[in-house]
Amino acid sequence: MATIDSKIPEGPLAEKWSNYKAHQKLVNPANKRKLDIIVVGSGLAGASAAATLGDLGFKVKCFCIQDSPRRAHSIAAQGGINAAKNYQNDGDSVYRLFYDTIKGGDYRSREANVYRLAEVSNNIIDQCVAQGVPFAREYGGTLANRSFGGAQVSRTFYARGQTGQQLLLGAYSALSYQVKQGNVELFTRCEMLDLVLIKDEEGKQRARGIIYRDLVTGEIKRCSAHAVVIGTGGYGNTYFLSTNAMGCNGSAAMQCYRKGAWFANPAFAQIHPTCIPVHGDKQSKLTLMSESLRNDGRIWVPKKLEDAKKLQSGELNPNDIPDEDRDFYLERRYPAFGNLVPRDVASRAAKERCDKGYGVNNTGLAVFLDFKYAIQRLGKDVVADKYGNLFDMYEEITDVNPYENPMMIFPAIHYTMGGIWVDYELETSIPGLFAIGECNFSDHGANRLGASALMQGLADGYFVLPYTIQNYLADQIQVPRFSTDRPEFEEAEKSVKEKIAKIMSIGGTRSVDSIHKELGHIMWEYVGMGRTEESLKTALKKLDDIEKVYWKELRVPGVPSTLNVELEKALRLLDFIEIGKLMAYDGLNREESCGGHFREEHQTPEGEALRHDDKFSYVACWEFKGEGKAPELLKEPLNYEFIKVQTRNYKN
Amino acid sequence: MWLIDSSIGRKVVMSVTGMALILFLTFHMAMNCVALFSEDGYRAICEFLGANWYALVGTVGLAALMVIHFIYAFWLSWQNYKARGSSRYAVTERPKTVEWSSQNMLVIGIIVCIGLFIHLINFWSKMQLVEIMGDKPADGVDLIRNTFSKWYFALVYLVWLFFIWLHLTHGFWSAIQTVGWSSKVWHKRWKVIGNVCITLLILGFASVLVLYFGKSLMA
Amino acid sequence: MDKTISFTLKVWRQRSPKEKGCFKSYQMKDIPTDTSFLEMLDILNEDLINKGEEPIVFDHDCREGICGMCSLYVNGHPHGPATGATTCQLYMRRFKDGDTITVEPWRSAGFPVIRDLMVDRSAFDKIMQAGGYTSINVGGVPDANAIPISKEKADLAMDAASCIGCGACVAACKNGSAMLFVSAKVSQLALLPQGQVEAARRAKSMLHKMDELGFGNCTNTRACEAECPKCVSISNIARLNREFIAAKLKD
């Protein structure tokens, strides 16, 4: 087995990043102009990276599938962004943010990466404020903070319930500035369909370009560069129903995987505890209610099974259940963190109650999030001021007024911690290919804390990649621009076209969505919140079946040489099936429970996740071995030099 | 020149000329109202203005304002028409907060202009124009009496005043919004102030009309 | 809970920007009232695909009212009859059994139709590129708390910044004007000290770009404000006017 070099710099934890920056190679301004970088994706990570690289003087080409970079799904993040500013004087520090993140990730992330993340978190806030991001402020004019799950300090900066939007618009405006300056070229409504590798003189394969489809004209086009950066987000839509946007997909990551980039920890998917429950089989997506609601809302189910039954059948109104008959199970089980336990813990606790029959809603698959107490304590106006827009959204969707009735929530797939494997420099196992943001696996271990995704995306894009990519590009300054007429591009384009032709010629009867829904059911059922060896094996079998169904029964109407939404979805679905398999393989291999990955065979008597650090304290990297073949597992051991690995405890 | 080649600049021209015209109407109304109390007083005002140099300068200025306001209105409307594109919505519904007049200012403006034409023939051509030509102008009070004693003129003038009211109630706050003297709070205030002022203005004009029409009925 | 309605859907179908479009009617049967408007279109598309026809093309993405991608003109309103909501947040319980629902694309010279209900809004990107930013580089900025900003100002800036760039303002405007969009960005940055430094330059260049791209002149009808899914106020337009006039008078 190959040894994996994650290129972590020497030295004490707090000095690693400064040491790295002090000794890394840089590219001088005249040479920067000669180097091209492709950035795929325009979310927080992609847009901030493209803007920063453009600002440094590189020639950047930024791709996105939407009509504008501002639409990327980072925009939907509601709650906030963490930073170790300690503006509240409540004991926060870089170390504490680092520690909370490692612990929140259930000790499955790299110390050095996470420490760097905590270190640059403060710069992000400064940068965003300078861009004109209107963060919430106190009357005194200083920045306001709120608390989030998994932390005992208030370190989350926010802009109403639209923090992701504001941060993305900040990055988008920085990007727009660079477009104006002529450093960045935008390719909107363009989808990457393959990664192009070119051998250098030493015979080393390097990422040198992409094949993409212009989604409006249907044309297949080529683009070359000295390095390729992908920031294309996560693969939560494998489950069909998730809080991700309809267009979110894991295809770019899978293209890189098929070209040799390792896929790390695919089984680590985050299930967010506060989503609006599923209401029908026509539903297209799940809507997240911000985690910030858990600051003031109390989560409960009935104590008595008969009450739950009556609630399910609609005979009983939740408001008629007296406080003593309500089971505030998070406060009961985790007194120290209460309703603000990390997401994986809260989700599992909800599942536990529902599995035992205490769930509410007509499906029995929901728990209450009650603002009665907050309204009593703070008054309706204060609650409306803080959460009004979320309440309105809830009422619009469910037709239930959350000021008068408790909200109903249920966990849903939200974020994927797993992703393309990267080293300390955010470079994948393919030289010249970098992965940033949710698309990589690096910082969140087995579970991500709330308000950390925005932090990671922007950290990668603004402050990490612009340094580390230079260490790579410094050796490429002699390499001239590549012609897209080279045989490597020719071949990649040919294979893309063949794949499309094959899909178009299936001639079945079923729509992409109908097969995708089936995939989603399998994933949720067998690779969902609680997994067993048996369920994962079943999943692998069923996923093979679904792939067969795809190739036999799919129907894509229209032609490929023009705008064709069904074709776009069909191409992505194929990759979702592949990711589903990877998740099942990884879940099967990881015979322990940690963070978002819960193997029912491995739990404590109280039902908490049981890790096996002696056997599984590693990053599971999966290497592609060919179509239809099982991937090969490579292990990057996780060495904790600076903190003591312990069992996560949110009880006291 | 930003008053020509920028959309805000063009609107500023509309706004400033519009405000100036409202100001003129206010003076005009004040002078008319003199006729409510004293016919001799009104005659004195007519005589004072006459075809003296300051009245002529004022008239030319007014005409210029009108012409500019008019040309810009057509120019803006033509540009706006183009900006809507080649195809139209099959179904449209006006939101509650949108006034009908605000979306039909050009049409209302044209109607106002037609009224103005009649008005110029009825009054101005017999007073200032005649005086410019060197003849003796008609008596102002007589003109008012004659014109408004005819029911159809009284009706036409009332309709005309109503359209001016429509045009100005939107025009007032719109002009202020265009030059930027508005905010969330002041928007509401300006609307109230505008509605009150314009209504008073129109009532002032209408009162002279009603009074003389009433007088003619009683005579 | 399980209430359903049946209705006629009239949808604009257009192959390409150059080809002529027309309405097509579809009979929708027993649609649950708790499906969203876009899910209802998904159901129709599923039907069309099953019949071997091409599905209706429309823009959509996040389906929670924030990305600004969805852009349908439903029954005479951008984003449909609900106020303060995008098309994706429109639920079928707003409609009645037997209704005829007409769905059109945004219609404006600035937003040419790409296909069916999908329009090209890249003009907004171009306006942003003209000046919708603070011209700073990454790094070298002061501490976030170095410049205090009053809560009032920050809140006003946030009100303006909540624009999602969907283009409903242009679609609603009888003049095809993009003033609400432009003013929201100009306002947000003009209200904050970080953006004030180049406020005059920004107002001028963004407005000129808007004019250049063929958007109309604002005539203060307030339709944009009434139809804006984020309720962005026209007081922002007043602020843009103020900023622009002041900038021009200074020149």
Side-chain angles (χ1 to χ4, degrees), chain B residues 22 51 54 74 96 133 136 140 148 166:
Chain B
I22 292 180
Y54 43 84
F74 275 94
K96 282 187 205 79
M133 298 300 197
K136 196 178 173 321
F148 294 142
L166 277 180

Side-chain angles (χ1 to χ4, degrees), chain A residues 27-37 56-61 183 208 224-227 473 476-482:
Chain A
V27 181
N28 86 9
N31 284 328
K32 281 182 185 140
R33 284 194 289 277
K34 294 189 220 147
L35 295 169
D36 296 340
I37 303 173
L56 287 171
F58 294 106
K59 290 289 163 208
V60 180
K61 291 169 176 140
N183 297 327
R208 294 297 193 196
S224 71
H226 291 87
L473 289 172
Q476 307 292 312
I477 50 175
Q478 305 286 352
V479 180
R481 291 197 158 96
F482 291 93

Side-chain angles (χ1 to χ4, degrees), chain B residues 96-128:
Chain B
K96 282 187 205 79
T97 49
V98 177
E99 299 146 2
W100 176 84
S101 58
S102 73
Q103 293 187 320
N104 296 282
M105 286 295 271
L106 184 74
V107 177
I108 300 171
I110 291 171
I111 294 173
V112 169
C113 282
I114 294 171
L116 178 68
F117 188 67
I118 298 172
H119 180 59
L120 289 179
I121 291 176
N122 278 346
F123 289 87
W124 179 76
S125 69
K126 292 171 188 162
M127 296 170 78
Q128 197 181 52

